């Protein structure tokens, strides 16, 4: 017969894993909902599914749900097999996270180039991927920047290039505008139309001229302490679950 202390540990472990099981199922539901909303699960859209950011939520939610379910059932039924699987999976995740952190620390001097390459990809596929468009707009609005090194980097986009046939030719996204609102309430999606035809002085009255690479690098340096603290808390939570 289990002692009172052992019973408390059993139910505490069950409740702890139940919490993360619910969080994992919620993350999985968000990912599946995102894929369904964008039609990525249709037969003609399965090819780009591997590059869909929502797939990350599906995989994380599925992994967290499976591991947490094993922890719940293992604690409730005192199953050594399930508990060993749970402990092994969590320790594997912790090891991968620590290894990833060490790799990032080792290549930190190359992160600026990697960041530039990632932003360039987002810039080129701005109109094609709604997720990338949302990400770019959020970065440009939050950091008050435009493009990679300057607002003229948007000329590399086939839709914003001055030789493009559409109405967006010689323009930049509305998220580059100093004031992207019309009458303070309605978003003005045409606030930056034709800005690439202007000189820097005239353009400076409409859009932000500075690029986002330098701004993001500064932001990451300022937030390094918070990022390390968040990673440490995550590892501590996982180790607590194992204990």
């Amino acid at each position: 017969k289990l002692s009172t202390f052992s019973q408390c540990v059993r139910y505490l472990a069950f409740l702890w894993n139940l919490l993360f099981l619910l969080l994992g199922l919620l993350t999985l539901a968000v990912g599946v909902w995102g894929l369904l909303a964008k039609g990525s699960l249709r037969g003609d859209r399965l090819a780009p599914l591997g590059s869909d950011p929502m797939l990350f939520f599906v995989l994380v939610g599925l992994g967290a749900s499976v591991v947490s379910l094993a922890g719940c059932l293992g604690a409730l039924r005192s199953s050594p097999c399930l508990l060993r699987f749970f402990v092994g999976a969590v320790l594997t995740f912790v090891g991968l996270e620590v290894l990833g952190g060490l790799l990032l620390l080792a290549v930190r001097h190359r992160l600026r180039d990697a960041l530039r390459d990632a932003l360039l990809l987002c810039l080129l596929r701005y109109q094609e991927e709604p997720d990338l468009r949302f990400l770019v707009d959020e970065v440009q609005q939050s950091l008050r920047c435009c493009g990679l090194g300057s607002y003229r980097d948007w000329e590399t986009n086939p839709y914003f290039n001055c030789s493009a046939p559409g109405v967006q030719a010689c323009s930049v996204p509305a998220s580059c505008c100093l004031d992207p609102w019309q009458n303070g309430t309605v978003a003005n999606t045409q606030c930056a139309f034709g800005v690439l035809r202007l000189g820097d002085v005239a353009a400076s009255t409409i859009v932000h001229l500075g690029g986002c690479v330098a701004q993001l690098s500064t932001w990451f340096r300022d937030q390094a302490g918070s990022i390390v603290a968040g990673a440490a808390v995550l590892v501590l939570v996982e180790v607590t679950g194992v204990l």
Side-chain angles (χ1 to χ4, degrees):
K1 183 179 178 180
L2 293 177
S3 65
T4 303
F5 175 76
S6 296
Q7 290 282 11
C8 291
V9 171
R10 165 191 282 183
Y11 291 112
L12 179 61
F14 171 76
L15 294 175
W16 180 267
N17 285 286
L18 180 62
L19 172 63
F20 287 96
L21 173 62
L22 296 177
L23 292 175
L25 291 176
L26 178 61
T27 304
L28 177 62
V30 169
V32 173
W33 171 80
L35 293 177
L36 292 175
K38 296 191 297 182
S40 298
L41 296 179
R42 295 201 308 264
D44 57 338
R45 293 291 305 277
L46 290 180
L49 178 62
S51 60
D52 197 314
M54 285 298 171
L55 186 62
F56 173 78
F57 288 91
V58 172
L59 296 178
V60 170
L62 185 61
S65 300
V66 170
V67 174
S68 298
L69 181 61
C72 281
L73 296 179
L76 196 62
R77 300 180 60 84
S78 299
S79 170
C81 181
L82 290 176
L83 289 176
R84 290 193 188 103
F85 169 77
F86 168 76
V87 171
V90 174
L91 290 179
T92 300
F93 290 151
V94 171
L96 291 175
E97 290 161 6
V98 172
L99 180 61
L102 293 176
L103 288 176
L104 286 176
L105 187 62
V107 300
R108 62 186 183 277
H109 299 298
R110 301 181 183 178
L111 289 181
R112 187 183 179 94
D113 295 334
L115 180 62
R116 177 180 290 274
D117 294 340
L119 287 177
L120 179 60
L121 178 63
C122 294
L123 185 147
L124 293 175
R125 301 178 63 182
Y126 179 79
Q127 282 89 350
E128 301 169 8
E129 293 287 343
D131 298 307
L132 294 181
R133 182 166 61 248
F134 172 79
L135 177 62
V136 171
D137 288 339
E138 285 296 311
V139 169
Q140 292 191 147
Q141 289 176 357
S142 301
L143 299 181
R144 303 177 69 82
C145 57
C146 187
L148 303 181
S150 75
Y151 74 106
R152 292 201 172 273
D153 291 327
W154 282 103
E155 292 183 16
T156 59
N157 184 284
Y159 294 91
F160 291 129
N161 188 278
C162 289
S163 61
V167 295
Q168 292 181 320
C170 270
S171 302
V172 298
S175 56
C176 289
C177 291
L178 300 177
D179 184 13
W181 301 96
Q182 185 175 5
N183 299 327
T185 55
V186 182
N188 183 8
T189 58
Q190 301 180 2
C191 61
F193 273 24
V195 74
L196 293 177
R197 296 190 183 96
L198 306 175
D200 290 347
V201 176
S204 65
T205 63
I206 302 175
V207 298
H208 301 287
L209 303 185
C212 295
V213 173
Q215 297 276 21
L216 272 176
S217 299
T218 302
W219 184 85
F220 278 123
R221 283 197 300 268
D222 295 340
Q223 300 297 322
S226 300
I227 294 174
V228 171
V233 169
L234 176 62
V235 172
L236 181 61
V237 168
E238 292 171 335
V239 171
T240 301
V242 170
L243 294 177

